[in-house]
Amino acid sequence: MGNYSEAINTLREIVQRYDNIVFFGGAGVSTESGIPDFRSVDGLYHQQYDYPPETILSHTFYRRNTGEFYRFYRNKMLFTDAKPNAAHKKLAELEQAGKLRAVITQNIDGLHQAAGSKTVLELHGSVLRNYCESCGQFHDVSYILETEGVPKCQKCGGPVKPDVVLYEEGLDQKTINAAVRYIHEADVLIIGGTSLAVYPAAGLIDYFKGDQLVVINKAPTPRDAHADLLIQAPIGEVFSQL
């Protein structure tokens, strides 16, 4: 346990010393808010769906089988009761204190903003935004939950699509460019709650040239060997001690 508390102390010192910190996070940041990582396959998929989640959440499947996409999406991707946890809250505090420049997230749940973070780059979009594919009209997440089958635009009747990057779809170039800039200019990069398995998002880490690379994740990641500080623990638990 000594090593763990030493690591927490080191993290505290890093946060105190630097004021150009960037956070890069993934599903593990939200699991402590009760949002499951859909890659950790549970028996439910096999019972209720004929396809693995990666297939259902692909652009091709969305186009061919939109109704089935929405059945899975409403059941498995929307957690409107979830509340920000210690990690989300601490990151918002660090931003307000002038320490943290940006949160770059692979999550689509909007919990960083709910916690008060202002500069949040959502690499994979957000379930809170949905747009008509015909006229561009905005629809919030409650509209998706209230409708059945394929949601139709309230304005023109066109199909409504979540502002979420599906498999086979490209990431938003402006978001990518901003993420690259923040990471490249950062003195400290904290990677948290991500296995760094999803590309192109994981490749953004290559742009970091700063002083301290911190990795906080329960499972091993490909960057562990390069980390100046490695903490193998849940991120919310770690951040609650800062």
Side-chain angles (χ1 to χ4, degrees), residues 46-123:
H46 305 304
Q47 293 159 27
Q48 294 178 11
Y49 304 98
D50 299 333
Y51 307 91
E54 279 85 352
T55 301
I56 299 176
L57 295 173
S58 71
H59 180 83
T60 303
F61 192 92
Y62 174 81
R63 289 280 170 241
R64 281 189 195 150
N65 207 336
T66 316
E68 181 67 1
F69 167 88
Y70 266 110
R71 185 166 83 90
F72 177 85
Y73 182 77
R74 286 189 183 96
N75 268 338
K76 289 278 173 194
M77 306 301 288
L78 300 180
F79 296 90
T80 48
D81 296 338
K83 299 279 184 286
N85 63 47
H88 299 106
K89 289 174 187 162
K90 184 55 71 176
L91 287 163
E93 271 175 45
L94 290 173
E95 183 185 44
Q96 277 151 6
K99 294 269 176 196
L100 185 85
R101 299 289 172 91
V103 167
I104 300 166
T105 182
Q106 300 172 79
N107 298 338
I108 55 175
D109 50 48
L111 287 178
H112 286 292
Q113 290 93 329
S117 286
K118 298 283 182 270
T119 305
V120 182
L121 304 181
E122 294 173 313
L123 297 174

